[in-house]
Amino acid sequence: MTEDGPAHPCVGGERLSATFYDRPVLQVAQDLLGCVIEHDRVTVRLVEVEAYDGERDPGSHAYRGRTPRTAVMFGPPGGLYVYFTYGMHYCANLVCGPPGRASAVLLRAGAVVAGEDLARARRTAATHRTIAARDLARGPARLATCLAFGRAQNGVLTTAPQSPVTVRRGAGPIGTVAVGPRVGVSGPGGDGAEFPWRYWLEGDRHVSAYRPGGFRRTRT
């Protein structure tokens, strides 16, 4: 407890346990801001996330129930759900709530705080252009590329002692948390009034740009 109220749960440095994730998705999503995720020699501090609430959420992959693709979402809290999108990119989510609930938090953006040269090499190999530091993990596909997430990481349990992917509590205050509609979600799930389930650190330069559902950038 601090003079201003309860301490943020992501202050310290220890690995996040299953207990952290076994809570309502909106709580977990906000508490992940400021935490750091590590894999294959790169560490990213999370600055933007989105919550997806399983079969009760029309924006969730699990809205219509369990499929081979979404099976990981129905697994234990702290699991890593990695999916392929647009036939081009991987994106990563952390599963939360009790097994069978299928809620998860999309890792939308972060700041590379260790392994920047390696993260830049991975991003450059994917884009064939120079990448500014602020843009390395600014977006879910970019973040996944920096951390070398792919099909092999789908289903990894981040809470296990020997897990190759770890999520740890951050150090220091995180600042003001902003709330708004999720990025690129069409239909009812994109209703910002009913689902203001995107959370980010206000003023952080690594936060991604907002795009409404139905928007897709064309390649030139």
Side-chain angles (χ1 to χ4, degrees):
M1 182 76 70
T2 68
E3 294 180 358
D4 297 319
H8 190 282
C10 287
V11 174
E14 69 271 23
R15 181 197 299 264
L16 299 183
S17 68
T19 302
F20 174 90
Y21 297 104
D22 192 6
R23 298 181 294 147
V25 66
L26 301 186
Q27 293 180 19
V28 176
Q30 294 176 74
D31 290 346
L32 279 170
L33 292 172
C35 292
V36 293
I37 182 166
E38 309 166 24
H39 178 246
D40 197 14
R41 297 166 290 160
V42 171
T43 304
V44 172
R45 179 177 182 264
L46 298 174
V47 302
E48 181 185 6
V49 297
E50 286 178 349
Y52 289 88
D53 200 14
E55 293 171 285
R56 298 191 297 184
D57 178 358
S60 170
H61 288 177
Y63 181 55
R64 301 191 184 280
R66 184 177 182 134
T67 66
R69 183 194 193 195
T70 63
V72 171
M73 295 181 72
F74 291 82
L80 190 68
Y81 168 50
V82 181
Y83 66 89
F84 198 52
T85 183
Y86 293 134
M88 296 166 37
H89 307 297
Y90 287 99
C91 297
N93 303 254
L94 287 164
V95 177
C96 55
R101 186 69 179 80
S103 57
V105 178
L106 173 67
L107 310 181
R108 274 213 60 86
V112 177
V113 294
E116 183 176 319
D117 289 345
L118 182 54
R120 178 171 282 104
R122 290 168 178 165
R123 289 276 285 111
T124 301
T127 63
H128 305 291
R129 62 184 178 85
T130 301
I131 309 296
R134 65 167 286 183
D135 291 327
L136 286 174
R138 189 170 175 250
R142 295 172 178 182
L143 185 152
T145 299
C146 286
L147 291 168
F149 284 160
R151 199 178 309 276
Q153 285 68 50
N154 186 43
V156 165
L157 188 59
T158 64
T159 58
Q162 302 303 318
S163 175
V165 180
T166 60
V167 188
R168 303 183 185 278
R169 300 183 187 274
I174 63 168
T176 301
V177 176
V179 179
R182 295 178 293 197
V183 176
V185 178
S186 301
D191 183 343
E194 186 173 358
F195 299 99
W197 289 358
R198 173 180 170 238
Y199 305 95
W200 66 95
L201 299 185
E202 189 171 0
D204 193 291
R205 67 195 185 104
H206 302 91
V207 172
S208 66
Y210 173 73
R211 299 191 306 274
F215 176 92
R216 184 173 178 183
R217 188 182 301 277
T218 57
R219 307 182 78 186
T220 58

